[in-house]
Amino acid sequence: MAIALTVPNMACSACSDTITQAVQVIDPTATVQADPKTKLVVIETQTPEATVKAAIVAAGYSVT
Ligand SMILES: [Cu+2]
């Protein structure tokens, strides 16, 4: 299942690394593409979207 999220305060590649790691803590097999330019995060995972969103928020980012 692919989840597409917008993370407006993902400002640079360090942010996208942080977000990628936060998602991979809850699902080590998740594929994460996070682009600070488009603010778009695309995640391929079996984890429910609400759980993925919560992990990103817990890492200090907002999800719209
Ligand atoms: Cu950053």
PDB file of all heavy atoms in Angstrom, residues 1 8 12-13 15 17 19-20 22-24 26 29 31 35 42-44 46 50-51 55 57-58 60:
ATOM      1  N   MET A   1       0.846  -1.192   0.000  1.00  0.00           N
ATOM      2  CA  MET A   1       0.000   0.000   0.000  1.00  0.00           C
ATOM      3  C   MET A   1       0.883   1.242   0.000  1.00  0.00           C
ATOM      4  O   MET A   1       1.784   1.358   0.825  1.00  0.00           O
ATOM      5  CB  MET A   1      -0.882  -0.014   1.263  1.00  0.00           C
ATOM      6  CG  MET A   1      -1.771   1.202   1.394  1.00  0.00           C
ATOM      7  SD  MET A   1      -2.816   1.119   2.869  1.00  0.00           S
ATOM      8  CE  MET A   1      -1.609   1.061   4.185  1.00  0.00           C
ATOM      9  N   PRO A   8       4.640  19.907   5.253  1.00  0.00           N
ATOM     10  CA  PRO A   8       5.054  21.278   4.879  1.00  0.00           C
ATOM     11  C   PRO A   8       6.345  21.739   5.545  1.00  0.00           C
ATOM     12  O   PRO A   8       7.070  22.547   4.969  1.00  0.00           O
ATOM     13  CB  PRO A   8       3.875  22.141   5.347  1.00  0.00           C
ATOM     14  CG  PRO A   8       2.732  21.193   5.522  1.00  0.00           C
ATOM     15  CD  PRO A   8       3.315  19.870   5.860  1.00  0.00           C
ATOM     16  N   CYS A  12      14.661  20.376   4.412  1.00  0.00           N
ATOM     17  CA  CYS A  12      15.930  20.024   3.778  1.00  0.00           C
ATOM     18  C   CYS A  12      16.134  18.511   3.809  1.00  0.00           C
ATOM     19  O   CYS A  12      15.284  17.786   4.308  1.00  0.00           O
ATOM     20  CB  CYS A  12      17.080  20.735   4.487  1.00  0.00           C
ATOM     21  SG  CYS A  12      17.323  20.166   6.181  1.00  0.00           S
ATOM     22  N   SER A  13      17.268  18.066   3.282  1.00  0.00           N
ATOM     23  CA  SER A  13      17.496  16.622   3.201  1.00  0.00           C
ATOM     24  C   SER A  13      17.661  15.992   4.583  1.00  0.00           C
ATOM     25  O   SER A  13      17.374  14.816   4.763  1.00  0.00           O
ATOM     26  CB  SER A  13      18.698  16.318   2.320  1.00  0.00           C
ATOM     27  OG  SER A  13      19.857  16.895   2.868  1.00  0.00           O
ATOM     28  N   CYS A  15      15.825  16.789   7.145  1.00  0.00           N
ATOM     29  CA  CYS A  15      14.434  16.536   7.534  1.00  0.00           C
ATOM     30  C   CYS A  15      13.934  15.248   6.880  1.00  0.00           C
ATOM     31  O   CYS A  15      13.296  14.426   7.540  1.00  0.00           O
ATOM     32  CB  CYS A  15      13.534  17.683   7.099  1.00  0.00           C
ATOM     33  SG  CYS A  15      13.902  19.255   7.876  1.00  0.00           S
ATOM     34  N   ASP A  17      15.635  12.744   5.870  1.00  0.00           N
ATOM     35  CA  ASP A  17      16.301  11.598   6.504  1.00  0.00           C
ATOM     36  C   ASP A  17      15.632  11.255   7.832  1.00  0.00           C
ATOM     37  O   ASP A  17      15.409  10.085   8.145  1.00  0.00           O
ATOM     38  CB  ASP A  17      17.780  11.903   6.759  1.00  0.00           C
ATOM     39  CG  ASP A  17      18.598  11.909   5.472  1.00  0.00           C
ATOM     40  OD1 ASP A  17      18.068  11.465   4.433  1.00  0.00           O
ATOM     41  OD2 ASP A  17      19.754  12.352   5.522  1.00  0.00           O
ATOM     42  N   ILE A  19      12.569  11.889   8.753  1.00  0.00           N
ATOM     43  CA  ILE A  19      11.245  11.322   8.493  1.00  0.00           C
ATOM     44  C   ILE A  19      11.368   9.869   8.022  1.00  0.00           C
ATOM     45  O   ILE A  19      10.630   8.998   8.476  1.00  0.00           O
ATOM     46  CB  ILE A  19      10.501  12.187   7.464  1.00  0.00           C
ATOM     47  CG1 ILE A  19      10.123  13.533   8.109  1.00  0.00           C
ATOM     48  CG2 ILE A  19       9.271  11.476   6.914  1.00  0.00           C
ATOM     49  CD1 ILE A  19       9.684  14.591   7.126  1.00  0.00           C
ATOM     50  N   THR A  20      12.314   9.620   7.140  1.00  0.00           N
ATOM     51  CA  THR A  20      12.535   8.255   6.651  1.00  0.00           C
ATOM     52  C   THR A  20      12.848   7.318   7.810  1.00  0.00           C
ATOM     53  O   THR A  20      12.274   6.229   7.934  1.00  0.00           O
ATOM     54  CB  THR A  20      13.686   8.240   5.635  1.00  0.00           C
ATOM     55  OG1 THR A  20      13.334   9.068   4.534  1.00  0.00           O
ATOM     56  CG2 THR A  20      13.962   6.829   5.131  1.00  0.00           C
ATOM     57  N   ALA A  22      12.139   7.752  10.996  1.00  0.00           N
ATOM     58  CA  ALA A  22      10.990   7.637  11.904  1.00  0.00           C
ATOM     59  C   ALA A  22       9.997   6.605  11.383  1.00  0.00           C
ATOM     60  O   ALA A  22       9.418   5.836  12.152  1.00  0.00           O
ATOM     61  CB  ALA A  22      10.316   9.001  12.062  1.00  0.00           C
ATOM     62  N   VAL A  23       9.813   6.580  10.062  1.00  0.00           N
ATOM     63  CA  VAL A  23       8.899   5.596   9.474  1.00  0.00           C
ATOM     64  C   VAL A  23       9.503   4.197   9.563  1.00  0.00           C
ATOM     65  O   VAL A  23       8.811   3.222   9.877  1.00  0.00           O
ATOM     66  CB  VAL A  23       8.570   5.962   8.015  1.00  0.00           C
ATOM     67  CG1 VAL A  23       7.767   4.854   7.344  1.00  0.00           C
ATOM     68  CG2 VAL A  23       7.802   7.282   7.957  1.00  0.00           C
ATOM     69  N   GLN A  24      10.814   4.089   9.344  1.00  0.00           N
ATOM     70  CA  GLN A  24      11.443   2.766   9.339  1.00  0.00           C
ATOM     71  C   GLN A  24      11.598   2.190  10.747  1.00  0.00           C
ATOM     72  O   GLN A  24      11.836   0.989  10.888  1.00  0.00           O
ATOM     73  CB  GLN A  24      12.765   2.828   8.577  1.00  0.00           C
ATOM     74  CG  GLN A  24      12.475   2.982   7.082  1.00  0.00           C
ATOM     75  CD  GLN A  24      13.710   3.050   6.219  1.00  0.00           C
ATOM     76  OE1 GLN A  24      14.782   3.399   6.687  1.00  0.00           O
ATOM     77  NE2 GLN A  24      13.559   2.733   4.946  1.00  0.00           N
ATOM     78  N   ILE A  26       9.007   2.110  12.768  1.00  0.00           N
ATOM     79  CA  ILE A  26       7.761   1.344  12.920  1.00  0.00           C
ATOM     80  C   ILE A  26       7.628   0.261  11.860  1.00  0.00           C
ATOM     81  O   ILE A  26       6.923  -0.707  12.056  1.00  0.00           O
ATOM     82  CB  ILE A  26       6.516   2.269  12.919  1.00  0.00           C
ATOM     83  CG1 ILE A  26       6.466   3.131  11.658  1.00  0.00           C
ATOM     84  CG2 ILE A  26       6.481   3.117  14.181  1.00  0.00           C
ATOM     85  CD1 ILE A  26       5.136   3.825  11.469  1.00  0.00           C
ATOM     86  N   THR A  29      10.812  -2.434   6.794  1.00  0.00           N
ATOM     87  CA  THR A  29      10.763  -2.790   5.384  1.00  0.00           C
ATOM     88  C   THR A  29      10.120  -1.696   4.530  1.00  0.00           C
ATOM     89  O   THR A  29      10.008  -1.844   3.320  1.00  0.00           O
ATOM     90  CB  THR A  29       9.973  -4.101   5.180  1.00  0.00           C
ATOM     91  OG1 THR A  29       8.604  -3.874   5.534  1.00  0.00           O
ATOM     92  CG2 THR A  29      10.535  -5.229   6.027  1.00  0.00           C
ATOM     93  N   THR A  31       9.435   1.451   2.259  1.00  0.00           N
ATOM     94  CA  THR A  31      10.177   2.253   1.289  1.00  0.00           C
ATOM     95  C   THR A  31       9.672   3.688   1.405  1.00  0.00           C
ATOM     96  O   THR A  31       8.470   3.935   1.304  1.00  0.00           O
ATOM     97  CB  THR A  31       9.931   1.741  -0.143  1.00  0.00           C
ATOM     98  OG1 THR A  31      10.290   0.370  -0.198  1.00  0.00           O
ATOM     99  CG2 THR A  31      10.770   2.523  -1.142  1.00  0.00           C
ATOM    100  N   ASP A  35      10.746  14.135  -0.430  1.00  0.00           N
ATOM    101  CA  ASP A  35      11.355  15.200  -1.245  1.00  0.00           C
ATOM    102  C   ASP A  35      11.101  16.561  -0.599  1.00  0.00           C
ATOM    103  O   ASP A  35       9.969  17.040  -0.578  1.00  0.00           O
ATOM    104  CB  ASP A  35      10.756  15.153  -2.650  1.00  0.00           C
ATOM    105  CG  ASP A  35      11.448  16.142  -3.593  1.00  0.00           C
ATOM    106  OD1 ASP A  35      12.121  17.075  -3.098  1.00  0.00           O
ATOM    107  OD2 ASP A  35      11.307  15.969  -4.813  1.00  0.00           O
ATOM    108  N   VAL A  42       6.228   9.810   0.044  1.00  0.00           N
ATOM    109  CA  VAL A  42       5.521   8.638  -0.454  1.00  0.00           C
ATOM    110  C   VAL A  42       6.115   7.414   0.234  1.00  0.00           C
ATOM    111  O   VAL A  42       7.324   7.187   0.178  1.00  0.00           O
ATOM    112  CB  VAL A  42       5.638   8.514  -1.985  1.00  0.00           C
ATOM    113  CG1 VAL A  42       4.900   7.264  -2.470  1.00  0.00           C
ATOM    114  CG2 VAL A  42       5.082   9.761  -2.664  1.00  0.00           C
ATOM    115  N   ILE A  43       5.240   6.664   0.896  1.00  0.00           N
ATOM    116  CA  ILE A  43       5.676   5.539   1.716  1.00  0.00           C
ATOM    117  C   ILE A  43       5.001   4.272   1.219  1.00  0.00           C
ATOM    118  O   ILE A  43       3.772   4.224   1.088  1.00  0.00           O
ATOM    119  CB  ILE A  43       5.311   5.788   3.195  1.00  0.00           C
ATOM    120  CG1 ILE A  43       5.963   7.088   3.696  1.00  0.00           C
ATOM    121  CG2 ILE A  43       5.738   4.604   4.063  1.00  0.00           C
ATOM    122  CD1 ILE A  43       5.163   7.777   4.774  1.00  0.00           C
ATOM    123  N   GLU A  44       5.799   3.252   0.960  1.00  0.00           N
ATOM    124  CA  GLU A  44       5.256   1.942   0.610  1.00  0.00           C
ATOM    125  C   GLU A  44       5.371   1.066   1.851  1.00  0.00           C
ATOM    126  O   GLU A  44       6.471   0.756   2.307  1.00  0.00           O
ATOM    127  CB  GLU A  44       6.065   1.352  -0.554  1.00  0.00           C
ATOM    128  CG  GLU A  44       5.515   0.045  -1.091  1.00  0.00           C
ATOM    129  CD  GLU A  44       4.136   0.182  -1.729  1.00  0.00           C
ATOM    130  OE1 GLU A  44       3.904   1.164  -2.478  1.00  0.00           O
ATOM    131  OE2 GLU A  44       3.289  -0.683  -1.464  1.00  0.00           O
ATOM    132  N   GLN A  46       2.929  -1.743   4.794  1.00  0.00           N
ATOM    133  CA  GLN A  46       1.697  -2.422   5.209  1.00  0.00           C
ATOM    134  C   GLN A  46       1.107  -1.772   6.464  1.00  0.00           C
ATOM    135  O   GLN A  46       0.028  -2.140   6.917  1.00  0.00           O
ATOM    136  CB  GLN A  46       1.976  -3.904   5.500  1.00  0.00           C
ATOM    137  CG  GLN A  46       2.543  -4.655   4.303  1.00  0.00           C
ATOM    138  CD  GLN A  46       1.641  -4.575   3.081  1.00  0.00           C
ATOM    139  OE1 GLN A  46       0.432  -4.754   3.182  1.00  0.00           O
ATOM    140  NE2 GLN A  46       2.216  -4.276   1.930  1.00  0.00           N
ATOM    141  N   ALA A  50      -2.662   5.924   9.654  1.00  0.00           N
ATOM    142  CA  ALA A  50      -2.716   6.695  10.902  1.00  0.00           C
ATOM    143  C   ALA A  50      -1.456   6.467  11.743  1.00  0.00           C
ATOM    144  O   ALA A  50      -0.958   7.387  12.396  1.00  0.00           O
ATOM    145  CB  ALA A  50      -3.965   6.309  11.701  1.00  0.00           C
ATOM    146  N   THR A  51      -0.942   5.233  11.717  1.00  0.00           N
ATOM    147  CA  THR A  51       0.259   4.907  12.486  1.00  0.00           C
ATOM    148  C   THR A  51       1.481   5.605  11.892  1.00  0.00           C
ATOM    149  O   THR A  51       2.338   6.128  12.609  1.00  0.00           O
ATOM    150  CB  THR A  51       0.473   3.378  12.485  1.00  0.00           C
ATOM    151  OG1 THR A  51      -0.718   2.743  12.943  1.00  0.00           O
ATOM    152  CG2 THR A  51       1.633   2.986  13.390  1.00  0.00           C
ATOM    153  N   ALA A  55       3.865   8.575  13.648  1.00  0.00           N
ATOM    154  CA  ALA A  55       5.323   8.478  13.772  1.00  0.00           C
ATOM    155  C   ALA A  55       6.001   9.732  13.236  1.00  0.00           C
ATOM    156  O   ALA A  55       6.988  10.225  13.808  1.00  0.00           O
ATOM    157  CB  ALA A  55       5.828   7.239  13.025  1.00  0.00           C
ATOM    158  N   VAL A  57       4.599  12.750  13.012  1.00  0.00           N
ATOM    159  CA  VAL A  57       4.284  13.838  13.947  1.00  0.00           C
ATOM    160  C   VAL A  57       5.167  13.736  15.196  1.00  0.00           C
ATOM    161  O   VAL A  57       5.697  14.737  15.682  1.00  0.00           O
ATOM    162  CB  VAL A  57       2.785  13.817  14.317  1.00  0.00           C
ATOM    163  CG1 VAL A  57       2.486  14.780  15.464  1.00  0.00           C
ATOM    164  CG2 VAL A  57       1.935  14.177  13.089  1.00  0.00           C
ATOM    165  N   ALA A  58       5.380  12.505  15.681  1.00  0.00           N
ATOM    166  CA  ALA A  58       6.213  12.298  16.870  1.00  0.00           C
ATOM    167  C   ALA A  58       7.659  12.720  16.606  1.00  0.00           C
ATOM    168  O   ALA A  58       8.384  13.092  17.530  1.00  0.00           O
ATOM    169  CB  ALA A  58       6.155  10.833  17.299  1.00  0.00           C
ATOM    170  N   GLY A  60       8.427  15.306  15.019  1.00  0.00           N
ATOM    171  CA  GLY A  60       8.462  16.760  15.051  1.00  0.00           C
ATOM    172  C   GLY A  60       7.971  17.444  13.784  1.00  0.00           C
ATOM    173  O   GLY A  60       8.184  18.639  13.606  1.00  0.00           O
TER     174      GLY A  60
END
